[in-house]
Amino acid sequence: MMIPFVYLGRSILAGLGLRNAIKPRLLFACSGVPRTHPYNVGPAHCGDDAFFIVENDRRSVIGIADGVGGWRRYDVDPSEFTRTLMMNCERLARTTTTDRLNPVGLLQRAYEQMIRLKKPVLGSCTACILVLDKETREVVAANLGDSGFMVVRGDSIVYQSQEQQHYFNTPYQLSISPGHRDVIQDRPSDAETTKISIQKGDLIVMATDGLFDNMYHQQIIDRLKFIDRHDPTYESLKEAADKLAGDARNLAEDQEYMSPFAMKAQSFGLNLRGGKLDDITILLAAIVDNLEYPDR
């Protein structure tokens, strides 16, 4: 005898005391503009930036890294460092089977794997890693440097990571630099950490500083208003991410625009106007119920 499948709606499940059985997940879209190819919007990797995304039954994990372009004066490709670090993070996030995943510990293990390579990958980068625990409905994050993320609920920012700078335009960074004593070398444990309770409909904007140096918080929120928080789609997230990346690039090229980067420069006594040309990489995610988005 075949037993028919009966879908119990979200409200019915909640009434039956099964609300906690409906786990959250992240519905993702990504976009970006590499500094050297301004019309190429939306590639998976943008210039010296890199990112990763991992989704499984226990958790959703996303991370982003921004390579330090100054390594080119030593004939070193900065993107190799960021991509190797993010690939290590992705592999470790996929294979970790413990109930909890610490983003600082993940970053530390990925970095140590690079240090132990027989042929070291030279370079430096900032890094931001976020873990959504599906059991606790909490986001745990670690941010080192001036990449970062914000959590948007409705029209309000409920959390914004704080950038870490040694001095103007010199962010905290992980480095492997044998033979280069003038290179800044911070540790994964120096990252700013936070824990946040999330709700269905929240949006997470994670990006390299190419976004945050060129767009103010309200400008970012305005580009998110057309996403239906009750029923977000990949298409609406992708459209918003592409819009953010394209607008950030256009503002970066405006020499008269008083950008967030220019405002920071003036706070350090520097007479600077205009945006900041840089690689731009954006991960835009919506908190959804896994029951409602089983295959996306």
Side-chain angles (χ1 to χ4, degrees), residues 139-213:
V139 158
V140 183
N143 185 56
L144 184 80
D146 59 1
S147 294
F149 75 100
M150 60 170 61
V151 179
V152 180
R153 184 170 299 154
D155 293 331
S156 301
I157 297 174
V158 296
Y159 181 79
Q160 168 69 54
S161 60
Q162 299 300 308
E163 67 177 37
Q164 298 172 306
Q165 299 274 0
H166 289 284
Y167 41 89
F168 176 66
N169 204 29
T170 308
Y172 283 33
Q173 55 202 260
L174 299 179
S175 302
I176 296 178
S177 54
H180 300 280
R181 296 184 179 181
D182 58 335
V183 174
I184 294 172
Q185 190 165 4
D186 297 297
R187 299 168 297 178
S189 58
D190 293 322
E192 175 202 43
T193 59
T194 191
K195 181 185 291 186
I196 313 159
S197 295
I198 50 87
Q199 300 177 10
K200 180 186 175 183
D202 287 352
L203 296 177
I204 296 174
V205 183
M206 178 181 284
T208 53
D209 63 329
L211 174 67
F212 298 119
D213 279 343

Side-chain angles (χ1 to χ4, degrees), residues 18-48:
L18 300 177
R19 177 67 186 90
N20 290 334
I22 307 175
K23 295 181 180 180
R25 59 161 291 190
L26 298 181
L27 181 65
F28 301 98
C30 57
S31 189
V33 186
R35 176 176 178 173
T36 53
H37 299 283
Y39 301 108
N40 185 18
V41 177
H45 291 290
C46 301
D48 299 335

Side-chain angles (χ1 to χ4, degrees), residues 246-264:
D247 287 354
R249 175 65 191 213
N250 290 336
L251 292 169
E253 295 179 312
D254 186 344
Q255 297 182 2
E256 296 303 318
Y257 171 55
M258 186 53 68
S259 65
F261 181 76
M263 292 290 288
K264 285 183 283 189

